[in-house]
Amino acid sequence: MVGALCGCWFRLGGARPLNPFGPTVVQTSMSRSQVALLGLSLLLMLLLYVGLLGPPEQTSWLWGDPNVTVLAGLTPGNSPIFYREVLPLNQAHRVEVVLLHGKAFNSHTWEQLGTLQLLSQRGYRAVALDLPGFGNSAPLKEASTEAGRAALLERALRDLEVQNAVLVSPSLSGHYALPFLMRGHHQLHGFVPIAPTSTQNYTQEQFWAVKTPTLILYGELDHILARESLRQLRHLPNHSVVKLRNAGHACYLHKPRDFHLVLLAFLDHLP
């Protein structure tokens, strides 16, 4: 389940009843135990606040339209990439959405979250990829270099005949999306970075040179990678920024309804 992001189990031993005639050290021991439990509770609350645990939003914004068929397969060639794909149910939009993923996830995340189904309902073709070494994609030697990662992504889009791509790139997938973005491929029609990694590898001048329409998304409680990436991504000349309130690093999981609304608004207004 999408909500099962972090399970924390604690086994607390049963305390012996206090002996009113016993030494006071027993009472002191119990008092320290209670303090320890209180401290543990406060620590968990702090983790939730800073977004490390970031509880998913309790929402019905999970889509399972039986009319939407999620296709799956491998791209051809010697370096296959596993993908999931949906076709538009209604009149197709010109842009096509390519969804990458973070370190703890894969293409199945976007099906579980309902993003693929929702995009299909709204008339978009959408493709979610398993990056090399994740999900159903085997590790690939080319993924060890920046140029290799950009080439892998370019080849996957070509093999899948994706035109006018809008690239959604959370977290780890910045290793692939940013080299691809910097090369200015003609099929990249939009960019949606969600606190991506690797922004520090590029100069302010390199970001300035990118004209791709960009929606910068991040969670309010992501105080580390979101801030670091935002510092660099703000140099993109054609961008807007949206902060999802009460969401952590994987803000699309914590606030799926808000994420979907913002993403659809961005897609619907692309030229």
Side-chain angles (χ1 to χ4, degrees):
M1 294 295 292
V2 173
L5 295 180
C6 181
C8 298
W9 293 85
F10 300 93
R11 184 174 181 177
L12 302 178
R16 292 176 298 175
L18 291 176
N19 179 358
F21 303 103
T24 57
V25 67
V26 175
Q27 296 181 3
T28 303
S29 174
M30 290 302 297
S31 175
R32 287 176 179 173
S33 175
Q34 292 170 349
V35 169
L37 287 175
L38 177 61
L40 181 60
S41 300
L42 291 174
L43 176 61
L44 288 174
M45 291 176 63
L46 177 62
L47 289 174
L48 287 171
Y49 176 77
V50 301
L52 293 178
L53 297 182
E57 182 183 49
Q58 297 299 316
T59 178
S60 60
W61 195 268
L62 301 178
W63 298 78
D65 190 332
N67 296 316
V68 176
T69 300
V70 179
L71 308 172
L74 289 169
T75 58
N78 296 326
S79 303
I81 298 292
F82 180 84
Y83 67 92
R84 302 173 197 267
E85 175 184 12
V86 292
L87 301 176
L89 283 184
N90 306 310
Q91 183 176 357
H93 291 268
R94 188 162 67 95
V95 301
E96 300 170 329
V97 184
V98 178
L99 299 147
L100 306 182
H101 60 82
K103 185 175 182 179
F105 309 105
N106 55 51
S107 65
H108 190 42
T109 302
W110 300 113
E111 182 179 353
Q112 290 179 303
L113 195 61
T115 308
L116 288 172
Q117 298 90 319
L118 178 59
L119 289 170
S120 173
Q121 291 168 349
R122 291 292 291 262
Y124 290 98
R125 180 194 178 199
V127 177
L129 302 179
D130 280 355
L131 296 173
F134 293 88
N136 295 305
S137 291
L140 296 173
K141 198 179 304 183
E142 300 97 309
S144 61
T145 67
E146 178 183 298
R149 291 189 294 272
L152 281 170
L153 187 51
E154 179 182 11
R155 185 163 63 249
L157 299 192
R158 184 176 63 247
D159 290 342
L160 293 169
E161 298 182 352
V162 173
Q163 303 294 326
N164 300 311
V166 175
L167 191 59
V168 179
S169 173
S171 194
L172 170 84
S173 65
H175 284 307
Y176 291 81
L178 287 169
F180 186 79
L181 177 75
M182 293 302 170
R183 283 160 172 75
H185 293 286
H186 66 278
Q187 68 264 52
L188 197 55
H189 200 72
F191 183 44
V192 184
I194 308 171
T197 57
S198 301
T199 55
Q200 73 281 1
N201 295 341
Y202 302 96
T203 66
Q204 181 174 314
E205 290 72 23
Q206 285 176 294
F207 282 105
W208 277 342
V210 174
K211 308 304 179 186
T212 304
T214 300
L215 168 65
I216 302 171
L217 262 173
Y218 70 98
E220 178 185 28
L221 304 180
D222 183 359
H223 300 303
I224 301 175
L225 193 52
R227 290 182 179 180
E228 177 185 312
S229 60
L230 183 61
R231 191 178 303 116
Q232 293 292 85
L233 292 171
R234 281 189 181 278
H235 297 306
L236 292 167
N238 187 12
H239 80 267
S240 57
V241 178
V242 173
K243 174 175 64 178
L244 297 187
R245 295 183 58 81
N246 297 318
H249 181 57
C251 58
Y252 45 92
L253 294 181
H254 303 154
K255 292 291 181 179
R257 184 178 185 277
D258 293 345
F259 166 74
H260 285 143
L261 287 172
V262 170
L263 176 63
L264 287 172
F266 175 71
L267 295 173
D268 290 347
H269 289 87
L270 285 173

